[in-house]
Amino acid sequence: MMNSALSVNAGVEQPPQVNPNAAFLRRQHKLQPLSLDEYVSGILAGNRTVLGRAITLVESARPEHQHLAQKIIEQCLPHTGNSIRLGITGVPGVGKSSFIEAIGGYVIGLGNRLAVLAIDPSSERSKGSILGDKTRMETLSSHPDAFIRPSPSAGSLGGVARKTRESIVLCEAAGFNVIFIETVGVGQSETQAHAMVDCFLLLMLAGAGDELQGIKRGIMELADILAITKSDGANKDKAIAAKIQYQSALQLFPPHASGWKPVSLACSSTEKIGLTEIWKNVLDYIALTRANGYFASHRNEQAKCSMHEFIHQMLHNRFYLNPTIEQALPAIEEDILQKKISAYAGAKKIFELWNQLPTQ
Ligand SMILES: Nc1nc2c(ncn2[C@@H]2O[C@H](COP(=O)(O)OP(=O)(O)OP(=O)(O)O)[C@@H](O)[C@H]2O)c(=O)[nH]1
Ligand SMILES: [Mg+2]
């Protein structure tokens, strides 16, 4: 037993693992709390630090943070709506960060203020993105007219979509008139993104073999603009060929309700080729949809969906956070596992219990 690895042996005293002054230093750096008025006036003045802190409140799971966040949003709402919201998606490594850095610089150069928000439901990936973005969006992240916000961490209370929607509101109130919503084109997130942007840009690689492989057809159907990335060097010919191939593939899809005919383009972020053409198409898209009424009706539709999402979420939280329900669920789950009752019967049983609760 004495030599067991599980026994505790007296050892030498270890040096402290953290700087003993760390707590003191942290306190020194600890941000002073801001009042509601300070948040709102800071945001309306375009202060990026205050904006960042308000988004942190939006992302927080703590009820008092949520409460304050909702008040801030309410006061910011009258100052929003005047932006171009562009969704940018593509598989990992397609060149999203490099593209945003390159086109972002161009867009700011035209006199715009740009906010970049990322939706990334998996924490594993967001870690990678943050590291990648620090190096790939170096110029943009330090530009005074840009605001870059990586993904909220996964698993925090509330949907990622809600947080992004609320962050958009705050960014617009802070005077950012162009908002990029970046998503990784591997899961649900691009459909979520599509539901909160005006125009959707899909970045694609000129792949070997079948050009239509690797990206879900459903995502391609959402795209208003498709751009083949890395159209430079030895890859250029392949990229141009892919662009032409996609252009004909796009024509096979049903027409968009917006009245816009999706286009296929090629670009290079490193050589800064094709970026102006992509931005021109974004502006053309906005002009067309503003003129034909789709822009406004689409945003109204989004607002309606957003309300239903809120209701869904509130009901969900109220149900699952109810102590009686919380207590009763494990036994019913066990009955289902033991095949004593069906999933439907289990759901009905828990709902009967819910209906009997005095206040809901
Ligand atoms: N040749 C060339 N390489 C590029 C271009 N854009 C990006 N790359 C390279 O492609 C790789 C991926 O680029 P990122 O911008 O990080 O791609 P991403 O889509 O943001 O990747 P994730 O954040 O992992 O999803 C990097 O090694 C870039 O240097 C381009 O225009 N031309
Ligand atoms: Mg990236």
Side-chain angles (χ1 to χ4, degrees):
M1 193 60 200
M2 278 302 286
N3 294 326
S4 161
L6 294 174
S7 65
V8 178
N9 300 314
V12 290
E13 197 182 328
Q14 296 295 313
Q17 287 184 348
V18 292
N19 180 346
N21 286 325
F24 170 73
L25 291 173
R26 253 201 317 275
R27 258 201 315 279
Q28 282 242 313
H29 280 106
K30 205 167 174 185
L31 297 165
Q32 292 300 312
L34 297 177
S35 68
L36 172 61
D37 278 353
E38 284 169 329
Y39 269 114
V40 175
S41 55
I43 290 169
L44 295 182
N47 182 321
R48 290 182 301 169
T49 313
V50 177
L51 172 63
R53 288 183 61 182
I55 294 180
T56 304
L57 290 181
V58 162
E59 290 170 358
S60 168
R62 285 170 58 179
E64 68 271 27
H65 288 171
Q66 276 304 312
H67 189 70
L68 182 55
Q70 292 310 320
K71 284 187 169 170
I72 298 169
I73 289 164
E74 214 174 284
Q75 295 203 19
C76 283
L77 268 175
H79 307 273
T80 63
N82 295 319
S83 72
I84 294 174
R85 303 170 189 167
L86 176 69
I88 299 176
T89 197
V91 293
V94 71
K96 295 178 294 298
S97 302
S98 314
F99 175 80
I100 290 171
E101 163 91 357
I103 202 167
Y106 171 69
V107 168
I108 287 175
L110 297 175
N112 296 294
R113 293 187 77 218
L114 169 71
V116 181
L117 304 172
I119 303 183
D120 191 341
S122 95
S123 58
E124 276 314 304
R125 274 218 37 88
S126 34
K127 269 182 228 152
S129 303
I130 291 165
L131 283 178
D133 291 347
K134 270 199 179 140
T135 50
R136 303 226 165 81
M137 299 206 244
E138 215 167 352
T139 327
L140 205 56
S141 44
S142 58
H143 198 289
D145 288 325
F147 176 79
I148 297 179
R149 182 77 178 191
S151 315
S153 63
S156 44
L157 192 76
V160 180
R162 174 188 65 78
K163 291 171 190 168
T164 312
R165 275 208 179 86
E166 294 179 348
S167 304
I168 292 175
V169 165
L170 298 177
C171 288
E172 290 183 354
F176 291 95
N177 67 322
V178 179
I179 319 269
F180 288 174
I181 311 290
E182 182 198 344
T183 56
V184 180
V186 286
Q188 273 284 299
S189 52
E190 47 287 322
T191 353
Q192 282 182 352
H194 187 252
M196 59 181 92
V197 298
D198 304 312
C199 180
F200 202 63
L201 168 64
L202 173 62
L203 299 180
M204 292 186 84
L205 290 165
D210 187 352
E211 298 293 351
L212 296 179
Q213 290 286 314
I215 192 99
K216 288 188 213 90
R217 194 190 135 101
I219 300 172
M220 253 182 84
E221 275 186 65
L222 296 179
D224 300 303
I225 302 169
L226 205 147
I228 315 296
T229 56
K230 310 185 193 184
S231 178
D232 48 51
N235 204 37
K236 192 165 185 163
D237 290 347
K238 229 165 53 178
I240 304 291
K243 165 194 138 151
I244 295 166
Q245 206 170 347
Y246 279 122
Q247 189 64 65
S248 32
L250 283 173
Q251 282 161 11
L252 302 176
F253 290 137
H256 281 202
S258 59
W260 170 262
K261 283 199 179 71
V263 290
S264 169
L265 305 165
C267 67
S268 162
S269 306
T270 47
E271 305 283 317
K272 301 217 176 4
I273 295 169
L275 304 173
T276 52
E277 200 187 355
I278 291 175
W279 188 243
K280 183 185 174 302
N281 272 277
V282 172
L283 296 181
D284 285 351
Y285 174 92
I286 301 291
L288 175 91
T289 54
R290 276 216 166 110
N292 69 14
Y294 179 81
F295 187 91
S297 68
H298 186 226
R299 281 212 175 169
N300 286 341
E301 196 55 39
Q302 289 176 337
K304 221 166 70 184
C305 287
S306 171
M307 184 198 68
H308 287 291
E309 231 169 62
F310 279 134
I311 294 175
H312 187 88
Q313 207 183 318
M314 286 173 191
L315 284 175
H316 181 277
N317 288 350
R318 192 174 283 191
F319 184 83
Y320 282 101
L321 300 180
N322 180 287
T324 314
I325 300 294
E326 257 186 326
Q327 209 180 0
L329 264 177
I332 296 179
E333 282 172 0
E334 190 54 36
D335 282 352
I336 293 168
L337 292 184
Q338 301 289 332
K339 301 209 172 18
K340 284 185 191 156
I341 54 170
S342 70
Y344 178 72
K348 258 185 86 173
K349 204 167 161 185
I350 200 91
F351 246 88
E352 274 158 22
L353 183 66
W354 171 253
N355 284 333
Q356 283 161 17
L357 291 175
T359 49
Q360 289 161 19

